[in-house]
Amino acid sequence: MSESTLLGRLDETTRIAREKSSRGGAFVPPRVGLVLGSGLGGFADTLENLVKVPYQELPHLPSSTVVGHSGNLCFGSVGGVPVVCMQGRVHLYEGHPVESVVHGARTMARLGASSILITNAAGGIEAGWAPGDLMVLSDHLNLTGQSSLVGPNEDALGPRFPDMSAAYDPGLREAAHRVAKEAGFSLREGVYAGLLGPTYETPAEIRMLRTMGAHAVGMSTVLETIALRHMKVKVGALSCITNLAAGISKTELNHAEVEETARASRDKLVALLRGWIVAAGAQ
Ligand code: HPA
């Protein structure tokens, strides 16, 4: 298959990822894929039978330039469920073409993952929410000004006009709440506004987003979700509310704070992700 087509590039990345991750042994197709956002990459190191393949060794997968995002495609398992995991992701604001931004997510789907769980760091818009809260996405607003599906449609991946009426799988959303409850905490749920960045928003933009129905805001996730729904992959997504959004927060926003809060929520997040992966693997 030619590298001049999306399918050709995807198949090349997938083939090399299989080879590198199986190290000469049999390749075990992952059931669940995971995208780890800002400050959340440490989860990959908790996988059983972990094998890491650096993005640099995989064609067409760009490496992130953002602090807190190391770049490895990680293979392993969680409670017996075979998992593939992106430790670090790239963002549109880094200047990568949209195809590159979603290439890792598409690769995980082509490797076999039928459910993909996406995590991100986000600013909280909803009154009463606090840094450290975790929010399951019920829906999103794609305000990046881009779509992962612009260009000729790749019919082998999915239809020209994919349905987005249940972008975030209802079964996975319900499973996240159940797992959190069993672990002794509760989750927020709401609409994630995905913006281009890289600036944080102005207070006026946050007021606009609240009027539009957003509960949290960030700079990722929506393009991956679009690419994955095109491929009919089930998507679950979770925001770690790392700060209150601009104008609500009394202090200046900065990336160090975002990373620090994400890390402080690590224990809750690890417990949740482990249970969520097992539930997703059983679906
Ligand atoms: N805005 C946008 N992206 C973010 C934020 C925010 O407040 N916090 C973490 N990622």
Side-chain angles (χ1 to χ4, degrees):
M1 177 75 65
S2 157
E3 268 188 56
S4 63
T5 66
L6 166 60
L7 201 59
R9 289 185 287 278
L10 201 49
D11 283 349
E12 196 191 12
T13 313
T14 306
R15 179 175 56 77
I16 294 177
R18 280 165 163 265
E19 278 168 22
K20 299 233 175 213
S21 63
S22 48
R23 292 178 169 160
F27 176 73
V28 181
R31 287 250 288 285
V32 177
L34 207 61
V35 182
L36 298 171
S38 287
L40 311 173
F43 181 80
D45 296 309
T46 71
L47 295 183
E48 295 129 40
N49 310 311
L50 173 64
V51 176
K52 285 192 184 192
V53 183
Y55 292 155
Q56 287 100 313
E57 295 184 13
L58 294 167
H60 317 299
L61 259 190
S63 303
S64 176
T65 56
V66 183
V67 178
H69 283 259
S70 46
N72 297 295
L73 196 60
C74 301
F75 294 80
S77 59
V78 171
V81 177
V83 170
V84 59
C85 170
M86 292 179 68
Q87 189 175 38
R89 59 144 75 88
V90 296
H91 305 80
L92 204 56
Y93 63 72
E94 293 174 74
H96 300 288
V98 66
E99 181 189 316
S100 304
V101 172
V102 302
H103 196 74
R106 279 184 170 138
T107 299
M108 294 198 294
R110 293 291 277 184
L111 285 165
S114 53
S115 297
I116 294 190
L117 309 177
I118 304 177
T119 64
N120 60 48
I125 296 177
E126 185 71 1
W129 290 12
D133 285 356
L134 300 177
M135 180 189 92
V136 183
L137 273 65
S138 58
D139 208 341
H140 77 216
L141 297 166
N142 174 16
L143 301 173
T144 63
Q146 268 282 7
S147 167
S148 6
L149 305 179
V150 169
N153 186 56
E154 193 58 80
D155 294 334
L157 297 183
R160 173 74 291 186
F161 301 110
D163 175 62
M164 289 293 282
S165 49
Y168 298 91
D169 185 73
L172 289 176
R173 281 162 58 188
E174 197 222 285
H177 286 292
R178 181 168 26 84
V179 170
K181 197 169 169 201
E182 281 163 14
F185 55 91
S186 62
L187 301 174
R188 308 288 194 178
E189 183 162 286
V191 175
Y192 173 92
L195 273 63
L196 176 62
T199 59
Y200 292 112
E201 300 68 35
T202 63
E205 286 165 345
I206 294 301
R207 289 193 297 275
M208 172 190 75
L209 294 173
R210 183 185 287 129
T211 307
M212 292 167 93
H215 301 95
V217 57
M219 306 174 196
S220 68
T221 303
V222 295
L223 297 171
E224 288 107 317
T225 299
I226 290 168
L228 292 171
R229 290 308 298 149
H230 181 232
M231 297 171 80
K232 285 271 180 274
V233 172
K234 288 184 187 171
V235 178
L238 187 78
S239 291
C240 178
I241 305 296
T242 52
N243 56 280
L244 299 179
I248 306 172
S249 168
K250 301 282 175 280
T251 57
E252 267 190 24
L253 306 187
N254 66 77
H255 186 60
E257 177 196 351
V258 165
E259 278 206 284
E260 204 178 290
T261 311
R263 268 199 225 99
S265 309
R266 194 191 129 96
D267 288 352
K268 238 163 71 169
L269 224 119
V270 168
L272 182 67
L273 283 179
R274 289 191 69 87
W276 207 16
I277 289 166
V278 172
Q283 277 201 356

